[in-house]
Structures are given as structure tokens and as C-alpha cells.
Amino acid sequence: KLHVPAVLEAQCVRMLKDPKSRALVDNFVAQWLNLRNLTAIQPDTGRFPTFNEELRDAMRKETELFVQGVIQEDRNILELLDSKYTYLNDRLAQHYGIQGVEGHEFRRVSLTDSRRGGLITHASILTLTSNPTRTSPVKRGKWVLEQILGVPPPPPPPNVPELKEANGKELTGTLKERMEQHRKDPGCASCHARLDPMGFGLENYNAVGGWRDVDAGLPVDASGVLPGG
């Protein structure tokens, strides 16, 4: 009878509502979002003194509960990218600067602005796509291309210099300005034109996913131009 569409749909709904559907989150979702890599990330606690294991666990729990809710409640899949709610406890709410959340238990919280909402603004994702001491627009852009859009960029060409220098010259200025100088290298430009704009758009989030308006004493410029203009 599973060949009967109505029967098949009913059985899918039944299984998704079963607690065993948690395996979708523990296995598929953790692999899809690279969430398992979060345990290996070690932000510089000198620069980010509020980061600890409790916060790391809360970051991961938010993402797990969020995706689980979309699955089990059969919510619109676009909420994975843009939602008006998330799941918080007091520790993560404090990290996000959201008031009125008390206690260790997680609960669904309505959001009042556009700074949070959707997987890409989760501290878990923003932390695992950063470097220990700073954000990485390249890693963040690459993550969006691969995990969300399914169009991974080609690997970088061999012998491309690190960000700190290009053509033998020390790069200066803000992170965005240094990256733009880096992109002047013809071997870097084509891929970075796809990677960087999406990463720049997330520059208001620091390397552990906290919101910021200023970086190193300079206003954050979170603008970028996509390859299509």
C-alpha cells in the first residue's frame, strides 16, 4: 500500500513525528551543516573571553533544535534561511544580546529584528566558519556556496600567497580592504568574486557569532557585490 500516495504521505508524517526521527538531526543534519566540526574549533579566548564549553554546547543545541522543529512540525523549508524565531537558553541569549530569556532550558524565542533568524546567522555556523582570531569571509562564503547553494568553488590554484601578503607586499587596512588587495592577484580574483561577497555580508558577526558594529576601531563594512552585479 505504500505505492498509494496518501498512504506513503501518512507513513512519512508518522515516522517524522516519532522520537527516532531525531537521527535525521544527529546524522544527516550534522554532516550537511558541518556541525560536527564545531567540537574542534578553538577560538582565541584572549580575544573572545566569553567563549567556553557551555557556550559551544548551546550554539550546537540551537541549530539542532531549530532544524528538528522545521522537520517535525513540517514547517516551510525556507525558514531554514529566514525565520522570525530561534531556540535559546539564557547563556546563548546573553551571547546574542537578547533580553528576557532566563534559565538553562532551551525554548523557542520570537525575534524582533533581522540580526538573527535562519541557519546562516547561528553562532554555531559563524564560529565554525571563522579563524581562531578573526572572521573569515572566504570560509563563510565557501560554506554558503557548498552547504546551501550546492555549487562548491574550485580549489585554489597552487602557490597562491596567504592573505598577509600579495605579490611580495604586506597588505594593510581593514580585513575587507586587505582581502580586496589580495583579490588583485589574477590567480585569486575569479574564485574570490564568488566567495567574498557573501562572506562580507556576514562581517557584522564576529568570530564566535556575536554582533558587532566596529572591528579594530573601524566601522564594519558588511557590503559586497555578487558576480552578477
Side-chain angles (χ1 to χ4, degrees):
K1 292 184 178 179
L2 289 174
H3 289 289
V4 179
V7 175
L8 180 60
E9 181 176 355
Q11 292 306 310
C12 287
V13 170
R14 177 185 65 81
M15 289 190 290
L16 285 172
K17 290 185 179 298
D18 189 285
K20 286 184 286 186
S21 69
R22 168 77 192 191
L24 269 176
V25 175
D26 294 339
N27 295 296
F28 167 70
V29 171
Q31 292 182 56
W32 164 42
L33 301 178
N34 300 149
L35 205 54
R36 289 175 175 171
N37 297 346
L38 185 62
T39 58
I41 301 298
Q42 298 295 335
D44 185 335
T45 53
R47 292 175 180 260
F48 308 104
T50 63
F51 185 87
N52 56 23
E53 293 305 311
E54 181 185 9
L55 180 58
R56 188 201 307 270
D57 291 343
M59 289 176 176
R60 177 165 180 155
K61 187 73 170 179
E62 174 193 23
T63 304
E64 292 173 342
L65 290 173
F66 181 76
V67 179
Q68 183 179 341
V70 171
I71 292 171
Q72 292 194 326
E73 298 171 23
D74 194 23
R75 302 181 72 91
N76 190 325
I77 196 171
L78 294 180
E79 289 186 9
L80 293 175
L81 298 181
D82 186 18
S83 67
K84 301 299 182 186
Y85 66 91
T86 191
Y87 293 80
L88 302 174
N89 68 353
D90 54 356
R91 182 67 182 85
L92 191 57
Q94 181 183 20
H95 183 63
Y96 286 170
I98 295 175
Q99 307 296 320
V101 178
E102 299 180 0
H104 182 69
E105 295 299 317
F106 275 78
R107 79 296 311 259
R108 184 183 293 179
V109 175
S110 297
L111 301 171
T112 57
D113 61 39
S114 60
R115 293 183 178 183
R116 304 289 170 182
L119 290 169
I120 299 172
T121 68
H122 282 195
S124 60
I125 305 302
L126 294 162
T127 300
L128 67 83
T129 53
S130 292
N131 293 327
T133 59
R134 63 166 177 83
T135 61
S136 175
V138 172
K139 288 182 180 179
R140 289 176 174 180
K142 182 174 182 287
W143 186 91
V144 172
L145 286 175
E146 290 182 337
Q147 313 316 131
I148 301 299
L149 299 178
V151 286
N159 302 319
V160 172
E162 294 293 329
L163 177 60
K164 62 182 179 181
E165 62 178 8
N167 299 322
K169 297 179 180 179
E170 189 75 16
L171 300 181
T172 59
T174 65
L175 176 60
K176 184 175 182 180
E177 290 169 343
R178 284 182 282 141
M179 291 188 66
E180 287 174 343
Q181 294 174 62
H182 184 70
R183 285 170 59 181
K184 291 180 180 179
D185 186 315
C188 307
S190 60
C191 282
H192 278 276
R194 297 170 60 199
L195 291 165
D196 295 357
M198 287 177 284
F200 288 149
L202 297 170
E203 271 295 278
N204 279 118
Y205 303 96
N206 68 19
V208 292
W211 183 267
R212 62 182 181 176
D213 293 303
V214 176
D215 179 34
L218 299 169
V220 170
D221 179 2
S223 64
V225 180
L226 295 171

